Amino acid sequence: MKTIHKVVDISEHNNPDWDFVKNTFDAVNIRIGVRGSMKENPQYYGKIRYDFKAKEFIRKCQSLGIPFTFYFFPTAITEAEAHEEGEWLVNAIKGYNVCLPVCQDSETVVKGEKGRADKL
């Protein structure tokens, strides 16, 4: 018999209802970081940074006893950047007891291929 788990992913773009999350999902997948992808945000473009709400979400999951794991939003366009993202991710999650594999969520940013790595 197959076991199915309900997992929700969250990032700084979300404001979760934590009672709903705790009562509906088996785990939370928190975006730990991102490499900036939009030229419209030059202070972050091409730079790796923590998700602005990651630490808040980690603390909330820990305080409510909700299992969690992490994902990273990669936009590497060179092999060197891919290695940099991997190293950053490993260092960012050290010391956390995650309940599922750590993931990378690669997708186009917006229609029209405006994201840094949309054409990959």
Side-chain angles (χ1 to χ4, degrees):
M1 183 188 234
K2 204 185 249 190
T3 302
I4 298 175
H5 296 282
K6 290 194 248 178
V7 180
V8 63
D9 67 82
I10 60 175
S11 73
E12 63 197 39
H13 303 289
N14 306 116
N15 291 305
D17 173 338
W18 288 102
D19 288 329
F20 178 78
V21 170
K22 183 170 177 60
N23 294 318
T24 306
F25 298 99
D26 300 309
V28 175
N29 195 0
I30 300 168
R31 184 175 80 171
I32 190 72
V34 59
R35 184 187 291 271
S37 183
M38 302 297 292
K39 286 184 180 177
E40 291 82 7
N41 297 316
Q43 73 273 31
Y44 302 118
Y45 184 75
K47 297 178 179 98
I48 298 173
R49 66 169 177 84
Y50 278 93
D51 182 289
F52 295 131
K53 292 185 179 178
K55 291 182 180 180
E56 170 191 335
F57 293 158
I58 293 165
R59 284 191 302 273
K60 196 64 175 180
C61 285
Q62 289 171 327
S63 72
L64 294 173
I66 302 171
F68 64 92
T69 191
F70 299 109
Y71 74 97
F72 181 81
F73 191 92
T75 65
I77 56 176
T78 67
E79 187 174 336
E81 284 184 353
H83 286 284
E84 180 187 21
E85 288 177 353
E87 288 176 19
W88 185 94
L89 178 57
V90 167
N91 288 323
I93 66 172
K94 274 185 185 168
Y96 290 107
N97 183 18
V98 297
C99 66
L100 294 165
V102 175
C103 305
Q104 290 201 8
D105 177 13
S106 182
E107 59 188 68
T108 56
V109 176
V110 293
K111 291 183 179 182
E113 297 182 338
K114 293 184 179 183
R116 183 171 192 269
D118 286 355
K119 294 181 182 180
L120 295 181

PDB file of all heavy atoms in Angstrom, residues 1 41 43-44 48 54 61-63 72 84 87-88 97 99 102-103 110 115:
ATOM      1  N   MET A   1       0.833  -1.179   0.000  1.00  0.00           N
ATOM      2  CA  MET A   1       0.000   0.000   0.000  1.00  0.00           C
ATOM      3  C   MET A   1       0.876   1.240   0.000  1.00  0.00           C
ATOM      4  O   MET A   1       1.841   1.336   0.734  1.00  0.00           O
ATOM      5  CB  MET A   1      -0.897  -0.021   1.229  1.00  0.00           C
ATOM      6  CG  MET A   1      -1.838   1.136   1.245  1.00  0.00           C
ATOM      7  SD  MET A   1      -2.640   1.173   2.760  1.00  0.00           S
ATOM      8  CE  MET A   1      -4.125   1.197   2.905  1.00  0.00           C
ATOM      9  N   ASN A  41      14.678  43.861 -10.125  1.00  0.00           N
ATOM     10  CA  ASN A  41      15.156  43.906  -8.738  1.00  0.00           C
ATOM     11  C   ASN A  41      16.678  43.812  -8.733  1.00  0.00           C
ATOM     12  O   ASN A  41      17.246  42.794  -8.337  1.00  0.00           O
ATOM     13  CB  ASN A  41      14.555  42.750  -7.938  1.00  0.00           C
ATOM     14  CG  ASN A  41      13.056  42.826  -7.839  1.00  0.00           C
ATOM     15  OD1 ASN A  41      12.509  43.885  -7.593  1.00  0.00           O
ATOM     16  ND2 ASN A  41      12.385  41.712  -8.038  1.00  0.00           N
ATOM     17  N   GLN A  43      19.077  44.826  -6.896  1.00  0.00           N
ATOM     18  CA  GLN A  43      19.815  44.540  -5.657  1.00  0.00           C
ATOM     19  C   GLN A  43      19.909  43.050  -5.393  1.00  0.00           C
ATOM     20  O   GLN A  43      20.785  42.609  -4.649  1.00  0.00           O
ATOM     21  CB  GLN A  43      19.213  45.283  -4.459  1.00  0.00           C
ATOM     22  CG  GLN A  43      17.880  44.746  -3.961  1.00  0.00           C
ATOM     23  CD  GLN A  43      16.667  45.327  -4.666  1.00  0.00           C
ATOM     24  OE1 GLN A  43      16.695  45.683  -5.839  1.00  0.00           O
ATOM     25  NE2 GLN A  43      15.567  45.425  -3.943  1.00  0.00           N
ATOM     26  N   TYR A  44      19.027  42.239  -6.002  1.00  0.00           N
ATOM     27  CA  TYR A  44      19.041  40.792  -5.805  1.00  0.00           C
ATOM     28  C   TYR A  44      19.382  40.010  -7.066  1.00  0.00           C
ATOM     29  O   TYR A  44      19.654  38.812  -6.987  1.00  0.00           O
ATOM     30  CB  TYR A  44      17.675  40.305  -5.299  1.00  0.00           C
ATOM     31  CG  TYR A  44      17.250  40.969  -4.016  1.00  0.00           C
ATOM     32  CD1 TYR A  44      16.099  41.738  -3.957  1.00  0.00           C
ATOM     33  CD2 TYR A  44      18.006  40.830  -2.854  1.00  0.00           C
ATOM     34  CE1 TYR A  44      15.713  42.353  -2.775  1.00  0.00           C
ATOM     35  CE2 TYR A  44      17.633  41.449  -1.681  1.00  0.00           C
ATOM     36  CZ  TYR A  44      16.475  42.206  -1.648  1.00  0.00           C
ATOM     37  OH  TYR A  44      16.105  42.812  -0.486  1.00  0.00           O
ATOM     38  N   ILE A  48      22.423  35.167  -4.449  1.00  0.00           N
ATOM     39  CA  ILE A  48      21.727  34.214  -3.591  1.00  0.00           C
ATOM     40  C   ILE A  48      21.367  34.922  -2.287  1.00  0.00           C
ATOM     41  O   ILE A  48      22.175  35.646  -1.718  1.00  0.00           O
ATOM     42  CB  ILE A  48      22.612  32.992  -3.296  1.00  0.00           C
ATOM     43  CG1 ILE A  48      22.940  32.255  -4.597  1.00  0.00           C
ATOM     44  CG2 ILE A  48      21.927  32.071  -2.304  1.00  0.00           C
ATOM     45  CD1 ILE A  48      23.943  31.133  -4.427  1.00  0.00           C
ATOM     46  N   ALA A  54      11.881  32.748   5.742  1.00  0.00           N
ATOM     47  CA  ALA A  54      12.295  31.372   6.044  1.00  0.00           C
ATOM     48  C   ALA A  54      12.485  31.140   7.540  1.00  0.00           C
ATOM     49  O   ALA A  54      11.956  30.167   8.095  1.00  0.00           O
ATOM     50  CB  ALA A  54      13.574  31.020   5.287  1.00  0.00           C
ATOM     51  N   CYS A  61       7.036  26.355  12.543  1.00  0.00           N
ATOM     52  CA  CYS A  61       6.901  24.900  12.424  1.00  0.00           C
ATOM     53  C   CYS A  61       7.434  24.207  13.670  1.00  0.00           C
ATOM     54  O   CYS A  61       6.805  23.276  14.200  1.00  0.00           O
ATOM     55  CB  CYS A  61       7.628  24.386  11.181  1.00  0.00           C
ATOM     56  SG  CYS A  61       6.774  24.740   9.628  1.00  0.00           S
ATOM     57  N   GLN A  62       8.574  24.649  14.148  1.00  0.00           N
ATOM     58  CA  GLN A  62       9.165  24.043  15.347  1.00  0.00           C
ATOM     59  C   GLN A  62       8.251  24.231  16.555  1.00  0.00           C
ATOM     60  O   GLN A  62       8.034  23.297  17.328  1.00  0.00           O
ATOM     61  CB  GLN A  62      10.544  24.638  15.628  1.00  0.00           C
ATOM     62  CG  GLN A  62      11.596  24.202  14.627  1.00  0.00           C
ATOM     63  CD  GLN A  62      12.919  24.953  14.775  1.00  0.00           C
ATOM     64  OE1 GLN A  62      12.953  26.127  15.139  1.00  0.00           O
ATOM     65  NE2 GLN A  62      14.008  24.260  14.466  1.00  0.00           N
ATOM     66  N   SER A  63       7.702  25.425  16.721  1.00  0.00           N
ATOM     67  CA  SER A  63       6.864  25.687  17.898  1.00  0.00           C
ATOM     68  C   SER A  63       5.549  24.915  17.851  1.00  0.00           C
ATOM     69  O   SER A  63       5.002  24.561  18.896  1.00  0.00           O
ATOM     70  CB  SER A  63       6.595  27.185  18.056  1.00  0.00           C
ATOM     71  OG  SER A  63       5.693  27.647  17.060  1.00  0.00           O
ATOM     72  N   PHE A  72      14.948  25.201  -2.518  1.00  0.00           N
ATOM     73  CA  PHE A  72      15.692  26.362  -3.003  1.00  0.00           C
ATOM     74  C   PHE A  72      15.205  26.673  -4.410  1.00  0.00           C
ATOM     75  O   PHE A  72      14.932  25.757  -5.186  1.00  0.00           O
ATOM     76  CB  PHE A  72      17.197  26.059  -3.025  1.00  0.00           C
ATOM     77  CG  PHE A  72      18.044  27.206  -3.495  1.00  0.00           C
ATOM     78  CD1 PHE A  72      18.386  28.226  -2.630  1.00  0.00           C
ATOM     79  CD2 PHE A  72      18.489  27.265  -4.810  1.00  0.00           C
ATOM     80  CE1 PHE A  72      19.161  29.290  -3.058  1.00  0.00           C
ATOM     81  CE2 PHE A  72      19.260  28.324  -5.247  1.00  0.00           C
ATOM     82  CZ  PHE A  72      19.593  29.346  -4.371  1.00  0.00           C
ATOM     83  N   GLU A  84      27.754  26.873  -6.681  1.00  0.00           N
ATOM     84  CA  GLU A  84      27.594  27.877  -5.629  1.00  0.00           C
ATOM     85  C   GLU A  84      26.235  27.716  -4.937  1.00  0.00           C
ATOM     86  O   GLU A  84      26.145  27.767  -3.706  1.00  0.00           O
ATOM     87  CB  GLU A  84      27.723  29.281  -6.223  1.00  0.00           C
ATOM     88  CG  GLU A  84      27.560  30.391  -5.211  1.00  0.00           C
ATOM     89  CD  GLU A  84      27.534  31.781  -5.849  1.00  0.00           C
ATOM     90  OE1 GLU A  84      27.244  31.900  -7.064  1.00  0.00           O
ATOM     91  OE2 GLU A  84      27.775  32.747  -5.108  1.00  0.00           O
ATOM     92  N   GLU A  87      26.284  24.532  -2.695  1.00  0.00           N
ATOM     93  CA  GLU A  87      27.052  24.760  -1.468  1.00  0.00           C
ATOM     94  C   GLU A  87      26.295  25.671  -0.512  1.00  0.00           C
ATOM     95  O   GLU A  87      26.272  25.447   0.696  1.00  0.00           O
ATOM     96  CB  GLU A  87      28.418  25.347  -1.807  1.00  0.00           C
ATOM     97  CG  GLU A  87      29.348  24.346  -2.450  1.00  0.00           C
ATOM     98  CD  GLU A  87      30.680  24.962  -2.864  1.00  0.00           C
ATOM     99  OE1 GLU A  87      31.040  26.050  -2.355  1.00  0.00           O
ATOM    100  OE2 GLU A  87      31.370  24.345  -3.701  1.00  0.00           O
ATOM    101  N   TRP A  88      25.670  26.720  -1.056  1.00  0.00           N
ATOM    102  CA  TRP A  88      24.907  27.644  -0.225  1.00  0.00           C
ATOM    103  C   TRP A  88      23.774  26.890   0.469  1.00  0.00           C
ATOM    104  O   TRP A  88      23.565  27.023   1.674  1.00  0.00           O
ATOM    105  CB  TRP A  88      24.339  28.789  -1.078  1.00  0.00           C
ATOM    106  CG  TRP A  88      23.636  29.836  -0.261  1.00  0.00           C
ATOM    107  CD1 TRP A  88      24.187  30.990   0.226  1.00  0.00           C
ATOM    108  CD2 TRP A  88      22.279  29.821   0.185  1.00  0.00           C
ATOM    109  NE1 TRP A  88      23.231  31.687   0.946  1.00  0.00           N
ATOM    110  CE2 TRP A  88      22.065  30.980   0.934  1.00  0.00           C
ATOM    111  CE3 TRP A  88      21.222  28.937   0.016  1.00  0.00           C
ATOM    112  CZ2 TRP A  88      20.834  31.290   1.510  1.00  0.00           C
ATOM    113  CZ3 TRP A  88      19.997  29.232   0.610  1.00  0.00           C
ATOM    114  CH2 TRP A  88      19.814  30.401   1.342  1.00  0.00           C
ATOM    115  N   ASN A  97      16.712  19.241  11.341  1.00  0.00           N
ATOM    116  CA  ASN A  97      16.246  17.869  11.188  1.00  0.00           C
ATOM    117  C   ASN A  97      15.056  17.897  10.228  1.00  0.00           C
ATOM    118  O   ASN A  97      13.939  18.179  10.643  1.00  0.00           O
ATOM    119  CB  ASN A  97      15.837  17.304  12.556  1.00  0.00           C
ATOM    120  CG  ASN A  97      15.426  15.862  12.470  1.00  0.00           C
ATOM    121  OD1 ASN A  97      15.746  15.173  11.507  1.00  0.00           O
ATOM    122  ND2 ASN A  97      14.717  15.403  13.481  1.00  0.00           N
ATOM    123  N   CYS A  99      12.282  16.394   7.450  1.00  0.00           N
ATOM    124  CA  CYS A  99      11.462  15.191   7.407  1.00  0.00           C
ATOM    125  C   CYS A  99      11.383  14.563   6.019  1.00  0.00           C
ATOM    126  O   CYS A  99      10.930  13.435   5.885  1.00  0.00           O
ATOM    127  CB  CYS A  99      10.057  15.515   7.891  1.00  0.00           C
ATOM    128  SG  CYS A  99       9.151  16.635   6.803  1.00  0.00           S
ATOM    129  N   VAL A 102      15.412  17.407   0.544  1.00  0.00           N
ATOM    130  CA  VAL A 102      15.507  18.820   0.206  1.00  0.00           C
ATOM    131  C   VAL A 102      15.413  18.913  -1.313  1.00  0.00           C
ATOM    132  O   VAL A 102      15.980  18.095  -2.031  1.00  0.00           O
ATOM    133  CB  VAL A 102      16.826  19.423   0.734  1.00  0.00           C
ATOM    134  CG1 VAL A 102      16.988  20.853   0.287  1.00  0.00           C
ATOM    135  CG2 VAL A 102      16.869  19.301   2.250  1.00  0.00           C
ATOM    136  N   CYS A 103      14.693  19.910  -1.796  1.00  0.00           N
ATOM    137  CA  CYS A 103      14.400  20.012  -3.231  1.00  0.00           C
ATOM    138  C   CYS A 103      14.910  21.321  -3.814  1.00  0.00           C
ATOM    139  O   CYS A 103      15.234  22.254  -3.095  1.00  0.00           O
ATOM    140  CB  CYS A 103      12.894  19.970  -3.453  1.00  0.00           C
ATOM    141  SG  CYS A 103      12.077  18.555  -2.739  1.00  0.00           S
ATOM    142  N   VAL A 110       8.022  34.242 -14.995  1.00  0.00           N
ATOM    143  CA  VAL A 110       6.810  34.883 -15.524  1.00  0.00           C
ATOM    144  C   VAL A 110       6.686  34.543 -16.999  1.00  0.00           C
ATOM    145  O   VAL A 110       7.659  34.134 -17.641  1.00  0.00           O
ATOM    146  CB  VAL A 110       6.853  36.419 -15.366  1.00  0.00           C
ATOM    147  CG1 VAL A 110       6.810  36.832 -13.921  1.00  0.00           C
ATOM    148  CG2 VAL A 110       8.073  37.023 -16.030  1.00  0.00           C
ATOM    149  N   GLY A 115      12.565  35.893 -16.611  1.00  0.00           N
ATOM    150  CA  GLY A 115      13.414  35.436 -15.505  1.00  0.00           C
ATOM    151  C   GLY A 115      14.810  35.090 -16.002  1.00  0.00           C
ATOM    152  O   GLY A 115      15.010  34.715 -17.156  1.00  0.00           O
TER     153      GLY A 115
END
